[in-house]
Amino acid sequence: MQLSNRSKQVSHKEMTLAEKMYLPAIAQGLAITIKHFFSKKATVQYPEVKRYLGPVFRGHHVLKRDEEGRERCTACGLCAVACPAEAISMVAAERKKGEENLYREEKYAAVYEINMLRCIFCGLCEEACPKQAVYLRHDRLVPVFTERDQVIYGKDKLVENLNDRYVRTNTEVQATPTEPSLSRSAT
Amino acid sequence: MDLTALIIKTVFILVVFGVTLLIAMYSTYAERKVASFIQDRIGPNRAGPFGLLQPLADAGKLFFKEDFIPSQANKGLFILGPCLAILTALMSSAVIPFGETFQFDNVLYALQGIEVNIGILYIFGVVSLGVYGIMVGGWASNNKFSLLGAIRAASQNISYEVALGLSIIAILMMTGSLSVSNIVTSQHGIAWNVFNQPLGFIIFLTCSFAECNRTPFDLPESENELVGGYHTEYSSMKLGFYLFSEYINMFVSSAVIASLYFGGYNYPGMDWVRETLTSSLGTTGHNLATLVGTMSLFGKIFFFIFFFMWVRWTVPRFRYDQLMNLGWKTLIPLSILNVIVTGAGLLYNIKYASWLIVAVMVILAIMSAARASKSQVRPQRS
């Protein structure tokens, strides 16, 4: 049975005396390792240097607004249902008169919270959302937290800033920075 | 011995002690750096410039960890184990001559902890005591894995000590003295023993790897087989002492290898350096020349410490039976052969007699490689 074309043939032949002495082989090995000692290092100095992780990377959550700046989320709860870690919770409310420029539809999320300790960044909320309201940003990581009361992200941290619109197909982003200026959309 | 001599000796012993500890400390850092460089990484670089404060951080961490003693352990022996390990490791550097002579008040003092005419025997005695630290620690922690590790360590150390001692005998025959300082003096300039005793050197090097429990002979603490070897139950600074004593052992055995085979503080052109410096600077020049010799010794020591680490990331660990085969069936007969050939060479006044063994071995190896049938490689059955 051949699973791949990389299989090596195994031989069980007797070792010659030269091979039994080990020393030539050890010298060869030492030469190889010393070559690596002087070779270029593959390390990325992480907090200082950040690699571009690709458009499929799932990082910080964002609640999108539409073109007129209205929140897209209608608090349907499908993301919370889809969430395998049960990290998302929300409270729905009805849109009042005069709030049409704030919320896109009659129902909106008055409270929308994601528990970042529970979130596993699977991206199922993205897929479940019928309104294209929730995304996991490819260009921003969730910042480090040290206190327990910092881990529940409310709407203040999730709803996107109009001056800093998130666009997934932003070709300008070449790193995965946490600075908002680098992920600003072209529009 | 008058008071000045006593004070100078005390200061020197304290300096050696301090330098040993410092080198052992930075060996841990060097180990991690060398390991990462060989593996195409950068290694510790966060604590201080280039990560130079890393050993301090490690030590701090070890000090603040919980010091745990298992309830079923033999408490006295459990504490004694690491103490023995570090004590024996530190004792063996006493007879190594770190330089020629130091002139003070027109009196010459040898740069050596104690000048005993049985220096080599002293080193061997102390090194063989080192097994006790491991053995006592492994037994006292009342853990089967620790005991297994300790037993393997003990049998390994004892097996390789035989070959170690036998490989030294050829050197003793050529020098005619057991004193380490005499052995070093006899290698004046570039007349290093490694040129007379290539086989003995390789055997000694291999055995000192085994004595230091370094890869490929790190069976005592092979963590993927024995959880942690003889120090499985140890925590905090007791574990730190065990690990530290390993690095001290590495430093001391590098120093011994350098002294016995690579001329210690001798380097080519040392007479010229000494004459120029003494004629121009007098006493200071004499001391400076000694310092240069000490530097050359430390250069050799650092090279061997690096070599220990270099081999660690090259050669995989031996299986236990392979280890025993190598020790008893290869190294001991070879070292006995080396002693016989060296003796015959001394009888007929041939200095480089032990090259004969090397030549015969090379010829045999080439012949066997040439005669080996380029047999068909049988494909693996699926």
Side-chain angles (χ1 to χ4, degrees), chain B residues 63-83:
Chain B
F63 268 115
F64 286 112
K65 274 173 105 171
E66 187 193 354
D67 198 357
F68 182 77
I69 298 180
S71 61
Q72 296 301 309
N74 185 329
K75 288 214 174 48
L77 290 181
F78 193 79
I79 296 166
L80 189 67
C83 303

Side-chain angles (χ1 to χ4, degrees), chain A residues 1 8-11 13 16-18 21 23 26 29-30 33-34 36-37 39-43 45 47-48, chain B residues 34 37-38 40-42 45-46 202 306-307 310-311 313-315 361 364-365 368 372 377-380 382:
Chain A
M1 192 176 70
K8 284 246 167 73
Q9 288 184 326
V10 176
S11 85
K13 72 175 174 61
T16 62
L17 188 66
M21 278 178 190
L23 288 176
I26 287 175
L30 287 173
T33 42
I34 201 72
H36 280 276
F37 188 87
S39 67
K40 201 171 163 290
K41 309 302 172 218
T43 310
Q45 302 267 5
E48 292 91 30
Chain B
V34 169
F37 270 58
I38 285 179
D40 293 345
R41 302 185 278 118
I42 290 174
N45 62 350
R46 297 284 147 173
I202 287 171
F306 173 74
F307 188 74
W310 182 9
V311 169
W313 301 107
T314 306
V315 185
M361 274 166 72
L364 280 179
S368 76
V377 178
R378 252 181 308 157
Q380 190 185 14
S382 59

Side-chain angles (χ1 to χ4, degrees), chain A:
Chain A
M1 192 176 70
Q2 197 177 20
L3 293 173
S4 70
N5 53 4
R6 290 181 298 172
S7 60
K8 284 246 167 73
Q9 288 184 326
V10 176
S11 85
H12 296 290
K13 72 175 174 61
E14 282 268 303
M15 283 200 287
T16 62
L17 188 66
E19 285 165 335
K20 273 185 194 158
M21 278 178 190
Y22 286 119
L23 288 176
I26 287 175
Q28 240 175 338
L30 287 173
I32 290 169
T33 42
I34 201 72
K35 225 182 281 165
H36 280 276
F37 188 87
F38 295 108
S39 67
K40 201 171 163 290
K41 309 302 172 218
T43 310
V44 176
Q45 302 267 5
Y46 167 64
E48 292 91 30
V49 182
K50 291 191 175 82
R51 282 166 67 197
Y52 178 56
L53 293 166
V56 294
F57 178 73
R58 296 194 286 256
H60 199 295
H61 301 254
V62 64
L63 281 176
K64 283 288 288 178
R65 293 173 192 267
D66 68 0
E67 302 76 37
E68 292 158 44
R70 303 177 295 186
E71 283 178 23
R72 286 172 161 271
C73 179
T74 64
C76 63
L78 282 178
C79 50
V81 171
C83 183
E86 297 182 6
I88 303 175
S89 59
M90 66 190 72
V91 174
E94 202 177 332
R95 185 175 68 183
K96 303 265 166 40
K97 267 229 154 52
E99 287 180 339
E100 283 84 359
N101 60 333
L102 289 177
Y103 309 111
R104 194 177 159 105
E105 315 216 357
E106 289 84 34
K107 200 173 144 216
Y108 72 96
V111 178
Y112 191 99
E113 285 179 342
I114 303 180
N115 186 341
M116 286 299 171
L117 277 180
R118 306 204 67 160
C119 178
I120 56 170
F121 300 94
C122 60
L124 290 186
C125 47
E126 260 182 358
E127 285 179 31
C129 185
K131 298 290 179 188
Q132 298 180 326
V134 61
Y135 281 102
L136 293 161
R137 306 182 66 130
H138 75 287
D139 59 351
R140 193 184 293 180
L141 308 172
V142 177
V144 175
F145 40 77
T146 49
E147 299 294 327
R148 272 160 193 263
D149 52 9
Q150 293 173 3
V151 299
I152 294 176
Y153 278 37
K155 276 180 84 172
D156 53 328
K157 285 179 181 163
L158 295 173
V159 177
E160 79 174 333
N161 188 348
L162 270 183
N163 301 324
D164 179 30
R165 301 289 304 257
Y166 171 66
V167 180
R168 170 148 304 199
T169 53
N170 189 356
T171 47
E172 279 178 33
V173 179
Q174 282 305 311
T176 304
T178 39
E179 295 79 32
S181 58
L182 284 170
S183 58
R184 193 163 296 155
S185 72
T187 50

